[in-house]
Amino acid sequence: TQLLEQSPQFLSIQEGENLTVYCNSSSVFSSLQWYRQEPGEGPVLLVTVVTGGEVKKLKRLTFQFGDARKDSSLHITAAQPGDTGLYLCAGATLWSGGANNLFFGTGTRLTVIP
Amino acid sequence: DTGVSQDPRHKITKRGQNVTFRCDPISEHNRLYWYRQTLGQGPEFLTYFQNEAQLEKSRLLSDRFSAERPKGSFSTLEIQRTEQGDSAMYLCASSLTQVHTEAFFGQGTRLTVV
């Protein structure tokens, strides 16, 4: 069962356009990470957001954690072909024993056309 | 540190054969995760370890799957009597024990069952 739903599933845009990817869940997470994955490789961590309402920027990428810590968004400004890849959100759950787990979203495949 | 390494990168096996994959985590990381990923989807959680203890197993992990981390360092994932549906990318990740999990992934082992 996927706890996290991402939208859109596929996105193809022209170089220079802006875009937003959404990650939604009915579950509350202690933190949420965004990863980018290239074909044939493992996911690479981009950012971690922890506090409800938190906004983090990484060059042209802006990440926001929802106030209730159930959802997140990734906004890319002036997309470039190098941004092409599979974007994954992942939520960390915190169990009473202190151990936690990491569940991934369904992924958004972004293609930026030169 | 060379990061998380997985071996082999690719494995082709005949249906019914057993296969074993190895993961070497980042040396100071005491948490280790196994995920399975099919084409175009986000990684699906299989199991995770804290040191040598296997703390959680997904219902996806049938009786044919077993994972070990005997000394709390490297881990192995074995699939017995492989089926065509087992064909996927098997990803290993490691992290430090902390509330806000940030996982670092290996490059994965791509399994093809013919």
Side-chain angles (χ1 to χ4, degrees):
Chain A
T1 302
Q2 294 280 156
L3 298 182
L4 291 149
E5 295 290 334
Q6 287 185 237
S7 61
Q9 189 175 359
F10 299 97
L11 188 56
S12 182
I13 62 170
Q14 294 289 330
E15 182 177 359
E17 293 184 349
N18 302 332
L19 67 113
T20 302
V21 175
Y22 299 94
C23 174
N24 294 293
S25 176
S26 58
S27 301
V28 176
F29 297 103
S30 60
S31 66
L32 192 138
Q33 287 91 45
W34 284 92
Y35 294 79
R36 191 174 90 187
Q37 186 176 23
E38 305 285 347
E41 302 292 329
V44 175
L45 179 66
L46 296 175
V47 78
T48 298
V49 286
V50 173
T51 307
E54 181 178 3
V55 177
K56 279 192 175 179
K57 291 192 174 184
L58 186 67
K59 296 183 181 178
R60 295 177 292 100
L61 278 61
T62 302
F63 305 86
Q64 183 163 8
F65 203 10
D67 291 340
R69 306 205 319 273
K70 292 182 178 182
D71 55 85
S72 181
S73 64
L74 157 61
H75 183 79
I76 301 178
T77 303
Q80 299 177 1
D83 296 326
T84 294
L86 180 67
Y87 288 82
L88 297 160
C89 64
T93 57
L94 183 61
W95 305 111
S96 59
N100 60 6
N101 205 341
L102 193 63
F103 293 96
F104 279 81
T106 47
T108 294
R109 183 161 300 281
L110 171 66
T111 303
V112 181
I113 302 166
Chain B
D1 188 12
T2 57
V4 178
S5 63
Q6 292 187 245
D7 183 67
R9 289 291 310 275
H10 304 275
K11 178 71 177 179
I12 300 174
T13 190
K14 291 184 178 179
R15 190 174 53 183
Q17 296 293 306
N18 299 343
V19 294
T20 300
F21 309 140
R22 177 179 171 125
C23 171
D24 286 272
I26 294 171
S27 57
E28 64 268 27
H29 286 186
N30 50 15
R31 284 211 179 125
L32 187 147
Y33 303 80
W34 284 100
Y35 291 86
R36 181 172 68 187
Q37 186 178 29
T38 52
L39 199 61
Q41 300 296 313
E44 294 178 300
F45 167 75
L46 293 178
T47 188
Y48 91 98
F49 294 83
Q50 181 161 318
N51 299 312
E52 65 276 9
Q54 189 173 17
L55 295 187
E56 188 174 350
K57 289 169 37 174
S58 165
R59 283 172 291 177
L60 290 174
L61 213 65
S62 75
D63 291 345
R64 297 185 296 106
F65 288 69
S66 62
E68 294 183 344
R69 195 183 182 196
K71 297 182 180 179
S73 56
F74 74 92
S75 176
T76 58
L77 177 68
E78 181 184 15
I79 309 174
Q80 296 181 326
R81 305 181 303 281
T82 52
E83 302 173 356
Q84 286 187 318
D86 297 331
S87 295
M89 173 78 89
Y90 289 84
L91 293 164
C92 174
S94 69
S95 71
L96 287 168
T97 301
Q98 59 186 26
V99 173
H100 308 302
T101 302
E102 292 181 335
F104 295 87
F105 281 82
Q107 293 180 300
T109 294
R110 173 145 323 267
L111 173 67
T112 302
V113 182
V114 297

